[in-house]
Amino acid sequence: MSVLFRKQMVSLALVAPLLLFLIVFFAFPLFTMMKSAVSDPVATQALPASTNALSDWDRSSSPTSEMSAAFVEDLRQINDDQLFGDLVRRLNSAKAGFRTLITKTRTAVKATAGPIDLTAVDKRWADNSYWQVIAIATSSTITDRNLLAAVDLERNSSGAIDTIPAGASANRTILIRTFTMALAVTAACILIGFPFAMIAASVEGWRRQLLLGAVLLPLWTSLLVRTAAWFILLQDTGLINSTLMFLGLTTEPVSLIFNRVGVVIAMTHVLLPFMVLPIFSVLVGIPKTLMPAAASLGAHPVRAFLAVLLPLALRGVISGSLLVFMSALGYYITPALIGGAKDQMISSVIAYYATGAANWGMAGALGLVLLVATLLLYVVYLRLSAERELKP
Amino acid sequence: MDNSFIRFDDVSKSFGALKVVEELNLDIGKGEFVSLLGPSGSGKTTILMMLAGFENPTSGAIWSDRKRIDKLPPHKRNMGVVFQNYALFPHMTVSENIAFPLKMRGTSRADTSERVKRALDMVQLGALAERRPSQLSGGQQQRVALARALIFEPEVVLMDEPLGALDKQLREQMQLDIRDLHKRLGLTVVFVTHDQTEALTMSDRIAVFNHGKIEQIGSPSEIYDHPSTRFVAEFIGETNLVAGSVHSIDGHEAVIRLENNEVIKVVAKDRLRSGSKVVFSIRPERIGLGAGPGNTLETRISDVVYYGDHLRLLLSGGGQSFVVKTDRNRLPPSVGDSLTVSFLPSDCWAVDA
């Protein structure tokens, strides 16, 4: 056994715990979520004979007797109530009315043995559109239904992609809201964090420790506790409003909670360290003589800032913005506690599908959309930063 | 003073209880090259920073061209500053760095590129215009900093130990370059350094600082040949300090009695009083081997050091030790030999102890 091979083995053994952790707790769940977003095996599983029979159907002619016979056979075979429930949910979500139709048909089918006339059980079976739904559901175990629904799109009866009628779903609105709120929080963090980092970088000794401590301290407290603290502060009878009223700045309490303002305030506070620290670390690396040099060369302090300090600090601002923006996209607790119904972000919708509606497909699809959007932004960032570095 | 261009008028600067500059009075003429020389902590950099506007005097006034400038912000002072670590803008190219002062002054684009080109030629960096500072050597960065400080034709150029980070050969080359630029452009230069050779070779006048005060100000030869204090004599070049007491004064010569009762004649200064203690300085290269006119002293060689271009002898005599520099071809001295040395009274300069 060569020395090199042994060395490689040792280093592999050293990273193995991390690798294992990442696979088990990151890569595997991520893959499962992505898979559940696009997999649709229920109909194929529950209706094996129909799957076969409907595969040759042109979906426009009247349903054939082989199709009905296969379907009846399949219904007779389903003994698993869990599977039947999933099937009903799947078909009903594609076309309303399937729940009563299938339950009624199953009862009728189970009552007799041998062939049965489905149109006699329910005349809806003469309607092509119900058969079309079954045909689509059994045609493939992979579906884009969840992904389309995540951005308020669906396939119409002819299979073309179409927008969901207004009012039926708000995913797109909530996605846009999520991005605008993350953007607002990032902007607020830059506005507060940049001057703060500049002050912290310009002082030394205990003053710097104090300033950095003030930023880091919130990180040592749980997110829930911090959000709860803001909940108390922002109330109509909270400290902020009573101070404003005491100072006579306002006669009525300013509405700060259960709206966008409150959420942005609380999220900015929570995410500020991720903006301040990267900017600070870049600023302390900038030689102290550059600003005096700019002044001696005739630059007014504002112009010196714009021409020298800002371009040099931009790297910190960009990485800080990226950190804040990405974290803000996935925020759940703060909007849930401080925000109103119109301030919920995409994570609360995902949580609803995952825990409330047990619709893992939709939860996975929304998560996937968020992931793709974030990755796209990250690629844009990489492009921008690479271009800056490539410049001679 | 009528030709005074820069004037420090009773300028003091304290940081808390620490007095860094004490009641400085200094006049600098137009076109003059003045070095502020001193050990670190002597206040010379603070003086430069006050002149550039980065520090405010605690008291006193600074004048430039008959205008009071000590309340003026740095960007309105029109002084070119060359910093010790060059302070080039790392995100700009060489030509962008040099164009910066012109851009701040709203110079037209055509004029700017013309002047940048000339400035690059002046410091022989035309080929590197599009490089970043990080791609340049120390000497090249220094030239860029120099070009950037000169391109807007400032009235005064301030340099804060600009050659400190360069190696010896490059430093000597840059010293000549800066001196040449000073003469060619008629610049007024205030040059801070702790390197006495640099100050001696470049300056019209040198102000030697110690503990925030001027110890002595004068031309390089005045400072070197006639140091007024013990500090200046020791700080500038190498010297032998000889202690004794004044025996008698005869016109422009004073007779000093050394500790072993030998007598030495020195240049009399007004301050010398008969019987008072005195220290005088004599440079190692002013002491000749063998008997000669003036003072003679019997010594013994206690060490010989070979320096290539000269020999350095460590001698003991007159109750103390002397360093003598000598031509290495004169004689092959060896340790333990006795040696007669001689020196002129005019080379012995009494200093304040």
Side-chain angles (χ1 to χ4, degrees):
Chain A
M1 199 158 44
S2 74
V3 178
L4 189 70
F5 180 74
R6 269 187 56 192
K7 273 192 172 170
Q8 281 176 341
M9 279 293 125
V10 168
S11 36
L12 198 67
L14 283 171
V15 295
L18 175 68
L19 209 63
L20 212 65
F21 181 86
L22 283 179
I23 290 171
V24 174
F25 294 103
F26 182 71
F28 178 68
L30 195 67
F31 175 74
T32 319
M33 278 304 282
M34 283 161 75
K35 190 167 160 258
S36 71
V38 292
S39 77
D40 184 27
V42 175
T44 322
Q45 249 173 13
L47 308 169
S50 316
T51 305
N52 214 2
L54 267 76
S55 61
D56 322 320
W57 185 44
D58 61 4
R59 295 186 193 178
S60 50
S61 54
S62 323
T64 59
S65 54
E66 288 84 34
M67 281 159 56
S68 341
F71 186 68
V72 168
E73 188 54 32
D74 281 335
L75 276 185
R76 279 214 184 95
Q77 295 301 318
I78 301 178
N79 292 317
D80 185 351
D81 279 346
Q82 173 80 43
L83 186 62
F84 182 71
D86 287 345
L87 176 70
V88 170
R89 217 171 6 254
R90 166 68 183 87
L91 295 176
N92 197 56
S93 74
K95 187 169 177 67
F98 248 115
R99 188 179 299 277
T100 50
L101 177 61
I102 294 249
T103 318
K104 183 177 173 190
T105 311
R106 190 191 187 203
T107 317
V109 164
K110 288 242 176 189
T112 55
I116 195 166
D117 183 11
L118 284 177
T119 43
V121 178
D122 193 306
K123 59 179 179 298
R124 280 181 282 186
W125 284 119
D127 184 350
N128 252 352
S129 62
Y130 287 93
W131 287 102
Q132 277 164 359
V133 168
I134 298 174
I136 291 169
T138 55
S139 64
S140 167
T141 55
I142 291 173
T143 178
D144 55 4
R145 199 165 49 95
N146 289 325
L147 286 174
L148 290 174
V151 286
D152 290 357
L153 293 173
E154 65 178 1
R155 285 196 184 274
N156 58 20
S157 49
S158 60
I161 293 172
D162 204 356
T163 49
I164 287 175
S169 174
N171 287 343
R172 213 183 283 179
T173 319
I174 293 173
L175 268 173
I176 291 169
R177 179 195 297 157
T178 304
F179 279 93
T180 33
M181 276 171 81
L183 215 60
V185 170
T186 310
C189 279
I190 294 175
L191 284 178
I192 300 170
F194 196 91
F196 189 92
M198 274 179 68
I199 295 168
S202 67
V203 297
E204 277 177 4
W206 64 269
R207 289 188 186 86
R208 178 183 284 186
Q209 299 302 323
L210 186 77
L211 287 171
L212 289 182
V215 174
L216 285 174
L217 197 67
L219 279 184
W220 301 344
T221 332
S222 113
L223 176 61
L224 195 61
V225 172
R226 274 176 287 163
T227 306
W230 276 111
F231 190 86
I232 296 164
L233 285 174
L234 294 173
Q235 286 176 47
D236 284 356
T237 53
L239 195 65
I240 292 171
N241 267 317
S242 49
T243 309
L244 286 178
M245 276 150 75
F246 175 77
L247 292 173
L249 291 172
T250 173
T251 47
E252 275 177 40
V254 184
S255 176
L256 292 173
I257 200 161
F258 306 129
N259 59 24
R260 203 65 59 91
V261 180
V263 179
V264 171
I265 290 176
M267 281 176 68
T268 302
H269 169 246
V270 171
L271 290 170
L272 200 56
F274 301 107
M275 183 63 81
V276 170
L277 293 179
I279 299 179
F280 173 80
S281 67
V282 169
L283 284 178
V284 291
I286 297 175
K288 289 266 181 292
T289 46
L290 292 189
M291 289 299 275
S296 77
L297 297 170
H300 184 270
V302 176
R303 289 198 72 182
F305 172 80
L306 292 176
V308 177
L309 202 63
L310 191 63
L312 288 173
L314 211 57
R315 208 156 40 87
V317 177
I318 288 175
S319 39
S321 303
L322 206 66
L323 273 174
V324 169
F325 186 78
M326 302 262 181
S327 315
L329 280 181
Y331 253 56
Y332 173 59
I333 293 178
T334 310
L337 284 180
I338 308 250
K342 284 203 179 321
D343 308 311
Q344 293 314 306
M345 293 169 68
I346 198 70
S347 50
S348 63
V349 181
I350 296 176
Y352 160 75
Y353 279 118
T355 59
N359 188 342
W360 286 95
M362 260 322 272
L366 283 167
L368 203 61
V369 167
L370 193 62
L371 184 69
V372 168
T374 315
L375 283 178
L376 278 178
L377 284 169
Y378 186 64
V379 168
V380 170
Y381 157 76
L382 284 182
R383 277 283 168 81
L384 286 177
S385 57
E387 263 169 34
R388 284 178 57 82
E389 274 158 26
L390 277 178
K391 246 165 72 174
Chain B
M1 218 192 282
D2 270 336
N3 63 349
S4 157
F5 187 59
I6 302 282
R7 163 170 284 177
F8 286 87
D9 203 356
D10 267 336
V11 171
S12 295
K13 175 71 182 175
S14 318
F15 293 108
L18 185 70
K19 281 199 162 186
V20 182
V21 177
E22 286 183 59
E23 286 158 18
L24 172 74
N25 287 291
L26 177 63
D27 287 291
I28 296 166
K30 197 170 178 77
E32 204 180 8
F33 194 123
V34 173
S35 289
L36 312 183
L37 179 65
S40 56
S42 59
K44 55 192 191 314
T45 297
T46 309
I47 293 165
L48 199 75
M49 292 299 126
M50 288 195 284
L51 191 51
F54 304 131
E55 299 282 0
N56 292 317
T58 311
S59 65
I62 304 172
W63 304 78
S64 167
D65 205 9
R66 293 164 211 282
K67 290 186 292 283
R68 192 169 168 173
I69 57 162
D70 49 279
K71 297 282 186 288
L72 221 56
H75 65 275
K76 289 188 178 159
R77 294 200 186 190
N78 212 34
M79 291 181 180
V81 184
V82 179
F83 291 84
Q84 188 171 9
N85 54 7
Y86 323 132
L88 298 178
F89 304 130
H91 59 301
M92 298 182 193
T93 62
V94 166
S95 54
E96 281 168 349
N97 261 288
I98 295 176
F100 186 84
L102 300 181
K103 205 171 141 197
M104 292 302 126
R105 286 167 173 76
T107 313
S108 77
R109 193 166 292 193
D111 194 13
T112 300
S113 69
E114 174 62 32
R115 282 165 74 178
V116 168
K117 205 161 172 291
R118 252 187 293 147
L120 281 166
D121 288 342
M122 179 182 75
V123 293
Q124 295 142 37
L125 285 174
L128 305 177
E130 296 312 312
R131 294 268 184 97
R132 299 259 168 174
S134 56
Q135 297 167 304
L136 301 182
S137 71
Q140 290 168 336
Q141 290 187 39
Q142 183 55 267
R143 284 168 205 272
V144 177
L146 206 57
R148 190 180 65 172
L150 294 178
I151 195 167
F152 59 100
E153 289 158 12
E155 293 156 353
V156 188
V157 182
L158 313 179
M159 302 192 189
D160 183 13
E161 308 213 12
L163 309 178
L166 303 180
D167 61 51
K168 190 166 173 288
Q169 270 188 339
L170 206 52
R171 193 158 63 222
E172 281 165 6
Q173 179 59 43
M174 286 301 295
Q175 282 171 12
L176 294 178
D177 286 356
I178 292 174
R179 206 172 62 158
D180 181 50
L181 280 173
H182 162 243
K183 283 188 186 141
R184 204 144 45 92
L185 307 175
L187 297 169
T188 307
V189 180
V190 183
F191 191 95
V192 163
T193 181
H194 66 266
D195 181 336
Q196 35 114 356
T197 318
E198 210 165 88
L200 289 171
T201 55
M202 301 174 80
S203 321
D204 294 324
R205 278 198 299 157
I206 300 172
V208 184
F209 280 86
N210 191 27
H211 298 307
K213 285 182 180 162
I214 295 183
E215 289 268 336
Q216 187 177 1
I217 180 161
S219 69
S221 66
E222 276 170 356
I223 298 277
Y224 188 81
D225 293 331
H226 305 306
S228 64
T229 69
R230 182 185 186 136
F231 174 82
V232 175
E234 282 185 309
F235 194 76
I236 309 279
E238 200 178 357
T239 198
N240 296 294
L241 289 171
V242 185
S245 56
V246 180
H247 178 262
S248 60
I249 296 174
D250 175 19
H252 57 275
E253 278 190 354
V255 178
I256 310 281
R257 188 184 293 275
L258 302 186
E259 279 161 15
N260 67 346
N261 286 330
E262 279 190 75
V263 291
I264 299 276
K265 287 179 187 162
V266 307
V267 175
K269 284 213 284 186
D270 324 342
R271 289 178 281 108
L272 297 184
R273 294 279 173 271
S274 200
S276 66
K277 290 220 175 266
V278 71
V279 173
F280 68 87
S281 149
I282 175 151
R283 298 289 180 187
E285 70 276 12
R286 298 287 180 178
I287 300 177
L289 305 190
N295 303 302
T296 49
L297 209 59
E298 291 303 320
T299 63
R300 191 168 291 280
I301 301 173
S302 48
D303 202 4
V304 179
V305 187
Y306 177 74
Y307 272 78
D309 59 336
H310 69 275
L311 285 180
R312 203 167 282 211
L313 310 178
L314 192 61
L315 310 173
S316 56
Q320 65 178 84
S321 56
F322 290 86
V323 175
V324 176
K325 279 187 191 177
T326 182
D327 189 327
R328 64 188 169 118
N329 294 323
R330 282 283 295 276
L331 78 166
S334 54
V335 175
D337 289 0
S338 59
L339 186 68
T340 307
V341 295
S342 58
F343 46 92
L344 295 170
S346 57
D347 288 328
C348 301
W349 195 255
V351 297
D352 297 338

